Amino acid sequence: GQQLNQSPQSMFIQEGEDVSMNCTSSSIFNTWLWYKQEPGEGPVLLIALYKAGELTSNGRLTAQFGITRKDSFLNISASIPSDVGIYFCAGQRGGSNYKLTFGKGTLLTVNP
Amino acid sequence: DADVTQTPRNRITKTGKRIMLECSQTKGHDRMYWYRQDPGLGLRLIYYSFDVKDINKGEISDGYSVSRQAQAKFSLSLESAIPNQTALYFCATSEGHDTQYFGPGTRLTVL
């Protein structure tokens, strides 16, 4: 089935550092989404991208929809301890295909 | 109050038991989904429903069944639980093809 390759699997960084993670696919998606999951909670949407090349920010988070529509990245600037969690990318084909395909997640640990 | 709620939040059961997980939403969304999350595997779709009369299998539906009792309620059943169904289960909702919003999850352990 459809797969998204998300990397890295985990990151250990110091507070204040910038973070970058990405997702790639062998197939095209029309929508890319980035979610964050904290312990004991469900994933929460951070950023949604709907157009190839789109660059969108949400506070210290910036995500881009790759030109080829087969990849996306998420950057977090000046990390803080509450950034800790698992970050998931998800792709959606669009049209009549509602399904989300999720990456396996990036576990982020921020050392104060 | 949370828009998407799941009950129970935690459940421990024995092999062979029937289990029902419930999901309710106040968002007024037409579409509801059940996902399973396992460490290192991300989220995988079990079943989805576009409205009360519509039920569809996802990628891992074997061993599960669902019921859409009303627009706001979507329950997941394990008819005869087995240990490899130990996982985190998430309900999600969306309005049409729009963004999916997730509930807080149910942690299920099958002994």
Side-chain angles (χ1 to χ4, degrees), chain A residues 9 33 35 37 40-45 48 50 86 88 92 94-105, chain B residues 9 31 33 35 37 40-43 45 48 50 57-59 88 90 96-105:
Chain A
Q9 284 188 318
L33 306 167
Y35 286 86
Q37 184 180 20
E41 300 296 330
V44 174
L45 182 68
Y50 300 105
I86 303 176
F88 291 98
Q92 188 174 49
S96 60
N97 191 338
Y98 68 95
K99 294 180 184 178
L100 285 182
T101 301
F102 283 86
K104 295 182 180 180
Chain B
R9 293 295 311 276
R31 300 186 177 193
Y33 311 80
Y35 289 89
Q37 184 179 36
L41 294 179
L43 288 144
L45 184 63
Y48 61 99
F50 284 177
K57 292 183 177 180
E59 56 184 297
L88 268 173
F90 289 100
H97 298 307
D98 209 346
T99 305
Q100 292 182 26
Y101 295 88
F102 287 81

Side-chain angles (χ1 to χ4, degrees), chain A residues 13-31:
Chain A
I13 63 171
Q14 293 297 126
E15 183 176 0
E17 291 183 359
D18 296 344
V19 173
S20 184
M21 59 191 78
N22 69 82
C23 274
T24 61
S25 171
S26 57
S27 299
I28 289 172
F29 289 104
N30 291 320
T31 300

